[in-house]
Amino acid sequence: MATIHPHPKADRALPADVGKPQAENPPAAIQRATRPRTLADILTQVLLPVLGLGMLAFAIWYVVNTKPVVKHPPPPIEPARSPYADTLAASGVVEAQTQNIAVGSATPGVVVDVLVTVGDEVEAGTPLFRLDDRQLQGALAVKQADLSVAKSELVRLEAEPRREKIPVIVAQVDEANAAVIRETDALRRAEDMFAKRVLPEEELINRREALAAAKAKLDRSQADLSLLKAGSWEYDLDVARAMVARAEADMANMQVELDRLEVRALVSGRVLQVNVRPGEFVGASPGQPLVILGNTDLLHVRADIDEFDIARFNTRSGARAVPRGNLQEKYPLEFVRVEPFVVPKRSLTGDNTERVDTRVLQVIYRLDSSGHPPLYVGQQVEVFVDAEQPPQAVPRADASADASADASADASADASADASAGASAGADVGVGM
């Protein structure tokens, strides 16, 4: 039988609370919860929630106070207001009565002198500026010499025959005649000697040929004398006159080229702008106008009416112009004309909604600035046109129908009146009988 040995620790003394109920021994978690609260516990359980709530309140306050507020402040400059109830608005530009005339140079060259300044009043034909003409002056001298040569040749032909030449040709004729006599005598002697068989036949032939040559020379001398006495041929005179005319035309052409180097004003007006200086080179088609002219005694306004508003436009409607920067002034406008070709809009207002492909109808108004501050050429204005539709006119067909009806009614009334008058007259005759 096995012997049971007791556990070595069985003899150890048990604690004093052994044998008590288990409820009397609380667990470790309860022991930890019932320990004293430290500063870390206070920060964790109280301050952090309070700090979170404060940050949430600050975020709400910040969002509410920094939210953009849409306000409608008054504009820095009061916009222009139309004087009409129904308005057609357009942008306009002030221009001269003759429009703005851009003066250029027909020929390229170097400017040597500018003869006007901005603001000068010029008449038609007044020189504005002049180009270098030294090359054309030299060519003109050559053309003048050619004309002198052509005229001298014509005078020489018209003065023919020259009296000093006639004796010379007469002497040549006498010389040729003497040669013919000499050769005739020599031929006669040669024939006599040949008949006597003293002279060979070859010598006789030579004498005959010499006589023929002498006679031919005599005929030529006589013909030269006749030609000299006859004077110049009529057709030679015509050719000489044509050469003179051609030389005169060349010189006149050169004078025109020289005159074109001095640019002149073609209309009366005021010099609005000068964009050229002495020493500058100007071409036939400059990038900008050299001089701008215009008659500013009476100003016009060129209004651009949008193509969508053309149907509302009426030439008989009143119009007013308001200059930018002086919106209290309203200038009355008088209709002048409509340019019927609709063009792309060039004078842009800068509005974000404005399309660059807009086409406009250009209307010209006469500007009456009496009693108002002066306006200047190129100044932009706002144009307001009364868009109220006038009473519609009666169509031609309806009017003709009404006229026909009126005429028929009048004719029937007249016929009725005549018939009544005739009947009453018959009754009177019957009573008298």
Side-chain angles (χ1 to χ4, degrees):
M1 183 174 181
T3 303
I4 301 173
H5 297 283
H7 194 274
K9 295 181 178 181
D11 297 334
R12 292 183 180 180
L14 296 175
D17 55 356
V18 173
K20 292 182 178 183
Q22 293 293 331
E24 295 180 2
N25 295 325
I30 297 176
Q31 293 179 3
R32 287 197 301 268
T34 57
R35 66 181 177 80
R37 299 178 66 183
T38 62
L39 181 60
D41 297 335
I42 297 174
L43 291 177
T44 303
Q45 299 175 3
V46 178
L47 290 183
L48 286 181
V50 172
L51 182 61
L53 292 175
M55 293 183 65
L56 178 61
F58 175 77
I60 295 174
W61 174 85
Y62 180 81
V63 170
V64 171
N65 286 273
T66 58
K67 182 180 180 180
V69 179
V70 179
K71 297 181 180 180
H72 300 282
I77 300 177
E78 183 70 17
R81 299 187 181 276
S82 172
Y84 307 109
D86 190 5
T87 304
L88 191 155
S91 60
V93 178
V94 180
E95 65 180 17
Q97 179 183 3
T98 56
Q99 299 186 13
N100 303 332
I101 302 174
V103 181
S105 175
T107 56
V110 178
V111 179
V112 296
D113 194 8
V114 179
L115 306 175
V116 295
T117 57
V118 176
D120 290 349
E121 296 288 343
V122 297
E123 300 293 334
T126 303
L128 302 178
F129 58 92
R130 187 168 54 249
L131 304 181
D132 186 11
D133 60 351
R134 290 175 295 176
Q135 181 178 2
L136 291 183
Q137 288 289 355
L140 178 62
V142 174
K143 296 299 181 182
Q144 289 176 343
D146 294 340
L147 178 59
S148 299
V149 170
K151 287 183 176 181
S152 299
E153 181 66 18
L154 177 61
V155 170
R156 185 186 68 81
L157 292 177
E158 292 177 344
E160 292 289 347
R162 183 179 176 183
R163 290 175 298 177
E164 292 80 358
K165 288 183 177 181
I166 294 178
V168 176
I169 302 300
V170 170
Q172 292 178 359
V173 171
D174 295 340
E175 182 182 1
N177 192 19
V180 170
I181 295 175
R182 185 177 62 251
E183 292 298 334
T184 302
D185 184 66
L187 178 59
R188 184 182 57 78
R189 289 196 303 269
E191 288 177 349
D192 293 342
M193 295 176 67
F194 180 74
K196 296 178 181 180
R197 299 187 181 275
V198 177
L199 190 68
E201 184 180 3
E202 181 181 358
E203 186 67 22
L204 178 62
I205 293 173
N206 290 338
R207 289 300 175 182
R208 289 175 180 173
E209 292 177 354
L211 178 59
K215 289 181 178 180
K217 187 176 181 181
L218 176 62
D219 294 340
R220 177 181 178 181
S221 300
Q222 290 176 347
D224 290 341
L225 179 60
S226 301
L227 180 61
L228 179 61
K229 290 181 178 181
S232 299
W233 195 25
E234 180 181 359
Y235 298 106
D236 290 340
L237 292 174
D238 292 341
V239 172
R241 294 189 186 99
M243 294 299 295
V244 171
R246 179 178 178 179
E248 289 177 347
D250 289 342
M251 193 175 69
N253 183 40
M254 195 59 60
Q255 288 285 3
V256 171
E257 293 295 332
L258 280 171
D259 186 68
R260 293 175 67 188
L261 294 180
E262 189 175 62
V263 181
R264 302 174 181 270
L266 299 181
V267 297
S268 300
R270 175 177 295 178
V271 179
L272 303 177
Q273 193 177 33
V274 178
N275 297 319
V276 64
R277 303 292 181 271
E280 293 182 350
F281 178 83
V282 297
S285 56
Q288 63 178 356
L290 304 179
V291 178
I292 298 180
L293 296 178
N295 188 349
T296 58
D297 295 337
L298 187 62
L299 296 178
H300 284 177
V301 172
R302 182 178 295 269
D304 295 337
I305 297 179
D306 194 282
E307 57 186 344
F308 295 101
D309 296 330
I310 294 178
R312 301 171 57 203
F313 173 69
N314 188 0
T315 58
R316 296 187 299 273
S317 300
R320 294 290 186 272
V322 179
R324 296 183 179 180
N326 191 5
L327 304 179
Q328 293 76 22
E329 299 292 339
K330 293 180 174 57
Y331 294 77
L333 299 178
E334 181 181 354
F335 175 77
V336 176
R337 69 178 185 275
V338 173
E339 295 189 356
F341 185 69
V342 179
V343 298
K345 186 174 183 180
R346 295 182 180 179
S347 178
L348 302 179
T349 61
D351 190 358
N352 294 332
T353 61
E354 187 173 34
R355 303 200 322 262
V356 296
D357 59 343
T358 303
R359 302 183 74 86
V360 294
L361 176 69
Q362 293 187 334
V363 183
I364 310 301
Y365 287 98
R366 184 179 294 110
L367 177 68
D368 184 10
S369 60
S370 58
H372 299 275
L375 296 180
Y376 298 95
V377 176
Q379 187 172 352
Q380 288 187 334
V381 295
E382 302 292 342
V383 179
F384 298 103
V385 183
D386 188 2
E388 184 177 358
Q389 295 296 330
Q392 296 294 332
V394 179
R396 178 179 296 272
D398 298 342
S400 60
D402 294 341
S404 300
D406 294 340
S408 301
D410 295 339
S412 60
D414 294 340
S416 301
D418 293 341
S420 301
S424 61
D428 294 338
V429 172
V431 171
M433 291 179 64

